[in-house]
Amino acid sequence: MENTGFFFISQLFWFIFLFMLIMPILQAQMLQWSRERILKAIEDIYGSKVITLIHRQETRSLFGFFMMRMITIEDSEAVLRAIRMTPKDKPIDFIVHTPGGIALAATQIAKALADHPAKVRVIVPHFAMSGGTLIALAADEIVIDKHAVLGPVDPQLGTEPAASLVAIEKLKDPKDIDDQTLVKIDMSKKALKQMYDTVVNLLVKKGHPLEKAQTIAEELSQGKYTHDFPITVEHLQQLGLNVSTDMPEEVYALMDLYPQPTGIPAVQYLPEPVRRPEAVKK
């Protein structure tokens, strides 16, 4: 009788263990399927290729460490792959929710979107700061929630704003500035010029007049604001950007399916059907 009771408890323990092991995997897969259904619904409604770049900015604990996601080179590789897979005559709806990240990665994504021949909409349901704003500037149309925000794209050298480093020259005599700071000032000048040129080129490529592009680039890239300053819908409209607040309801539903789970890829898209060379020739 005791052996029977021990056997039952042992089996119950293993059943609970396997359930706890498998349940998170099943929940993650169900979320993935739900996201894919919404992506497919948006693609069917608008006849577009939907690509997402979604980072949860809120900190979360993993084994006692705090983590934060932002735009990385891996993200840019995945986005560029998705854009290459998209037919040239097919519009792109790019959904972005990010605090920013590596300038190189954001610039690669922005340039690839700007070069896409068909219409590109960048959709911002909540916020797209820094590199996320640079990506938004590559769009033919920015679709943004009326309370969502973009941010300045002024370059940062580590944690130090490039514009603030350059300002040191006006506050001190060169002989009173140490060599390391002089190097940072030189790098900051180059970074500010490079970002200004990048923004101007993106806007001109999307059809903005050169003078207007230069005004917007000056406003957003040269350190006029703190790096976390919120650029509102009204501000974007005053700058003359093509902004719409007609946010698809499906995008809100999609965002509900990102409850900060770990291990979720930031970039997601549905693969296009394989187009064989012989089929194209026909």
Side-chain angles (χ1 to χ4, degrees):
M1 191 74 175
E2 291 180 1
N3 289 339
T4 303
F6 176 79
F7 177 78
F8 174 77
I9 293 173
S10 175
Q11 293 298 309
L12 181 62
F13 168 81
W14 283 111
F15 175 79
I16 294 173
F17 175 78
L18 289 173
F19 178 80
M20 292 177 65
L21 187 67
I22 294 172
M23 194 59 188
I25 299 174
L26 291 176
Q27 289 175 332
Q29 188 59 58
M30 289 175 67
L31 274 175
Q32 178 75 3
W33 289 334
S34 297
R35 285 190 291 268
E36 289 180 356
R37 282 197 296 272
I38 293 180
L39 292 181
K40 184 64 167 60
I42 297 173
E43 290 188 343
D44 289 344
I45 292 170
Y46 297 99
S48 62
K49 163 61 64 182
V50 178
I51 305 171
T52 68
L53 180 63
I54 298 175
H55 300 119
R56 278 302 190 189
Q57 166 71 356
E58 300 87 344
T59 54
R60 58 185 183 276
S61 179
L62 179 65
F63 303 125
F65 296 96
F66 290 103
M67 299 177 61
M68 187 180 297
R69 299 185 72 186
M70 53 186 60
I71 303 171
T72 65
I73 293 298
E74 288 74 20
D75 290 338
S76 66
E77 289 177 359
V79 171
L80 265 58
R81 187 181 309 119
I83 294 172
R84 285 196 302 270
M85 291 172 59
T86 304
K88 295 186 183 302
D89 59 349
K90 190 168 193 175
I92 290 178
D93 281 331
F94 193 92
I95 303 172
V96 60
H97 172 88
T98 183
I102 299 174
L104 170 61
T107 301
Q108 287 182 298
I109 294 171
K111 287 186 175 181
L113 288 174
D115 286 340
H116 186 66
K119 182 177 180 179
V120 173
R121 296 194 306 173
V122 170
I123 302 174
V124 184
H126 184 56
F127 79 150
M129 305 297 284
S130 190
T133 299
L134 187 65
I135 291 170
L137 295 176
D140 296 288
E141 179 183 22
I142 301 172
V143 179
I144 183 170
D145 180 88
K146 65 180 180 179
H147 298 301
V149 296
L150 302 185
V153 296
D154 57 306
Q156 311 289 297
L157 270 64
T159 58
E160 300 173 314
S164 297
L165 287 167
V166 171
I168 293 175
E169 278 190 324
K170 299 177 181 178
L171 302 174
K172 286 186 174 184
D173 193 282
K175 65 181 177 59
D176 297 325
I177 304 175
D178 62 88
D179 291 348
Q180 185 175 3
T181 302
L182 287 172
V183 170
K184 288 184 177 181
I185 291 171
D186 179 63
M187 291 176 62
S188 296
K189 289 179 179 179
K190 293 173 181 174
L192 288 164
K193 177 65 165 58
Q194 289 163 188
M195 184 54 69
Y196 174 87
D197 289 343
T198 296
V199 173
V200 169
N201 290 335
L202 286 174
L203 294 173
V204 168
K205 185 169 287 187
K206 301 316 293 186
H208 294 279
L210 177 60
E211 186 176 349
K212 177 182 173 183
Q214 291 172 334
T215 299
I216 295 173
E218 182 72 26
E219 178 89 359
L220 298 181
S221 73
Q222 299 302 292
K224 181 177 179 179
Y225 310 101
T226 59
H227 197 59
D228 62 350
F229 180 77
I231 308 294
T232 63
V233 172
E234 293 76 17
H235 196 161
L236 294 171
Q237 290 171 337
Q238 289 170 7
L239 289 173
L241 292 167
N242 185 17
V243 177
S244 167
T245 56
D246 189 16
M247 179 68 64
E249 286 297 325
E250 293 79 10
V251 174
Y252 294 125
L254 179 67
M255 291 302 297
D256 289 339
L257 298 176
Y258 283 85
Q260 300 186 67
T262 58
I264 300 299
V267 179
Q268 187 172 327
Y269 54 90
L270 300 178
E272 286 288 323
V274 177
R275 306 176 70 188
R276 300 183 182 279
E278 56 270 20
V280 174
K281 291 179 180 178
K282 291 179 182 180

